[in-house]
Amino acid sequence: MTAVAQKPGEDGKYTIKAPGIKAQFIPYGATLTNLFVKDKNGEDVDVVLGYDDVDYYPKDPGHPVYNAIPGRYVNRIGNGKYTLDNVTYTTEKNDGSNTLHSGTNNWSYRTWDVTEVTEDSITFSIHDASNSSLGMIGLVEGKVTYSVSDSQWKIKMEATAPEERTPLMLTQHTYFNLDAFRDPTTDKIWNHTLYLPYSQRYLAADDSALPTGEIATAIAGSINDFASIPSLTLGHAKNDPGFSGNCGAGGQCEGYNGYWLIDDAPKDAVVASLASPFSGIKADLRTDQAGVVVYSGNWFDGTAPLKSTQGLEGRDTVPRSSCVAIEAQDYVDGINHPEWGRLEKQITGPGDIYTWESSWTFGLI
């Protein structure tokens, strides 16, 4: 498609669209603000969390990384340190004793440049100076292109570290509720089904959701099983005594905040399928990444507002466990676990081009 004027609409959002899908974005965090797809009745449903007021994204004190690009190294760095080329670097501890998404100046806190807009795509770029996030050494230049076509949303990222070697691992951090919080029977995510057909194995984690180094295998029907059958709901094990502490926090984190490996998936295979019987919407993920983080929204406290495109009368905030983020990425804290053999994937240096690709295809159950 031909490029159009690089200006947002009156609501501050850039809009791209194609048959069956419309997506809106803002430069802050290279963030997706709205994603409209068709439900079983042919109606447009906004299936991602966000705010009506684009100016609130940088003000939100909770900063839940709504549909943004965190980085330059996503998820956790254990004990706020890593070693590269025999030098140990200290990173900001913003998640207990660990670092989350590279700290409180990570890419989801930055305003990206809009470099190209067409009717069905938009590209954002970022210039990340050395140590602008504590311990993230070396300049990084990054970009993300979002595009839509025939009920599909594609995300493609590239980054380079032209001056020196540095940790580099990215993801797209989108929160879904395929019902747009309109199911009158529940405001939770547990009725959504999740199928991870190539992900029987997962990284065992400690009480702070940091991988221990052990790679575990989920037994069919167990809390962390989403591989055995396609119809398991996110809440299939919510009556299990271990469900309330499955993601740590001294038993206070219910549900999921962990990493599942993708093993032996054919090229372009659907590696995750999220669906809702209420809306009839199904979202299929394809990715070139080694696994996915699944986070079921435990830490939402009911104060974040819903968008005007979501909710019901009397339901206008985001409660606990009412959404799910499925984040394609490499192994969490892989830079501190050389036994996994992921260092080549997670360290980028002069002459390297880091790439990341995923797509979500929306249809009906």
Side-chain angles (χ1 to χ4, degrees):
M1 305 293 283
T2 57
V4 297
Q6 294 183 15
K7 293 182 180 179
E10 292 183 1
D11 58 2
K13 302 173 184 179
Y14 293 84
T15 300
I16 63 175
K17 54 187 175 180
I21 191 167
K22 182 176 79 170
Q24 296 180 293
F25 303 88
I26 57 172
Y28 181 77
T31 295
L32 171 75
T33 62
N34 305 77
L35 184 63
F36 295 92
V37 299
K38 299 292 185 181
D39 70 0
K40 62 186 180 184
N41 299 314
E43 301 294 327
D44 291 325
V45 178
D46 188 359
V47 295
V48 300
L49 273 66
Y51 304 119
D52 288 328
D53 181 3
V54 299
D55 294 328
Y56 187 64
Y57 284 83
K59 297 176 183 177
D60 179 8
H63 193 81
V65 194
Y66 268 163
N67 321 331
I69 305 295
R72 69 180 71 172
Y73 189 89
V74 300
N75 215 284
R76 286 163 179 81
I77 297 175
N79 301 306
K81 63 181 179 181
Y82 68 93
T83 299
L84 175 60
D85 298 331
N86 298 315
V87 178
T88 298
Y89 295 90
T90 298
T91 54
E92 180 188 354
K93 293 182 179 180
N94 64 321
D95 183 59
S97 60
N98 304 314
T99 299
L100 182 61
H101 299 317
S102 302
T104 55
N105 192 34
N106 74 66
W107 292 5
S108 69
Y109 287 85
R110 316 276 185 93
T111 298
W112 295 48
D113 294 321
V114 179
T115 55
E116 185 177 8
V117 185
T118 72
E119 294 176 6
D120 59 8
S121 71
I122 185 168
T123 298
F124 297 97
S125 63
I126 189 169
H127 176 94
D128 187 25
S130 180
N131 215 42
S132 57
S133 291
L134 179 66
M136 296 289 106
I137 44 89
L139 168 68
V140 169
E141 302 279 3
K143 68 176 182 178
V144 57
T145 297
Y146 299 116
S147 61
V148 292
S149 63
D150 296 324
S151 298
Q152 185 178 70
W153 174 39
K154 296 181 180 179
I155 311 107
K156 182 177 181 179
M157 291 187 268
E158 291 185 3
T160 59
E163 298 175 349
E164 55 189 307
R165 281 157 48 85
T166 190
L168 186 55
M169 181 168 69
L170 301 177
T171 194
Q172 214 292 332
H173 199 290
T174 292
Y175 292 93
F176 289 106
N177 182 304
L178 298 182
D179 299 333
F181 296 87
R182 292 177 178 169
D183 182 349
T185 67
T186 182
D187 59 4
K188 304 295 186 182
I189 199 70
W190 306 133
N191 288 353
H192 283 48
T193 61
L194 177 63
Y195 186 37
L196 306 176
Y198 305 99
S199 299
Q200 190 176 14
R201 297 195 302 159
Y202 62 96
L203 298 183
D206 66 15
D207 203 50
S208 64
L210 180 74
T212 63
E214 175 192 358
I215 297 178
T217 299
I219 299 170
S222 64
I223 294 176
N224 291 317
D225 170 40
F226 291 103
S228 63
I229 57 175
S231 58
L232 285 171
T233 66
L234 276 162
H236 74 271
K238 64 182 180 181
N239 294 323
D240 187 304
F243 190 77
S244 62
N246 190 54
C247 45
Q252 299 304 303
C253 183
E254 67 178 13
Y256 302 97
N257 189 12
Y259 183 85
W260 278 257
L261 285 62
I262 298 171
D263 290 322
D264 303 320
K267 185 177 181 181
D268 297 325
V270 173
V271 297
S273 186
L274 180 71
S276 167
F278 176 76
S279 65
I281 296 171
K282 180 176 69 168
D284 289 337
L285 173 68
R286 294 172 174 87
T287 186
D288 63 359
Q289 296 299 292
V292 292
V293 168
V294 177
Y295 169 53
S296 57
N298 177 80
W299 299 113
F300 286 93
D301 62 4
T303 60
L306 288 174
K307 290 176 286 186
S308 58
T309 54
Q310 298 177 325
L312 296 167
E313 184 176 354
R315 183 187 294 172
D316 53 12
T317 61
V318 183
R320 182 189 191 197
S321 304
S322 65
C323 56
V324 62
I326 302 173
E327 310 154 42
Q329 63 163 86
D330 210 86
Y331 290 36
V332 175
D333 198 31
I335 53 172
N336 284 318
H337 288 277
E339 71 273 17
W340 293 339
R342 307 308 300 177
L343 292 178
E344 184 178 347
K345 296 289 186 180
Q346 298 190 11
I347 303 295
T348 298
D352 300 329
I353 299 177
Y354 173 95
T355 62
W356 185 105
E357 291 189 40
S358 292
S359 68
W360 287 97
T361 303
F362 297 89
L364 300 177
I365 299 172

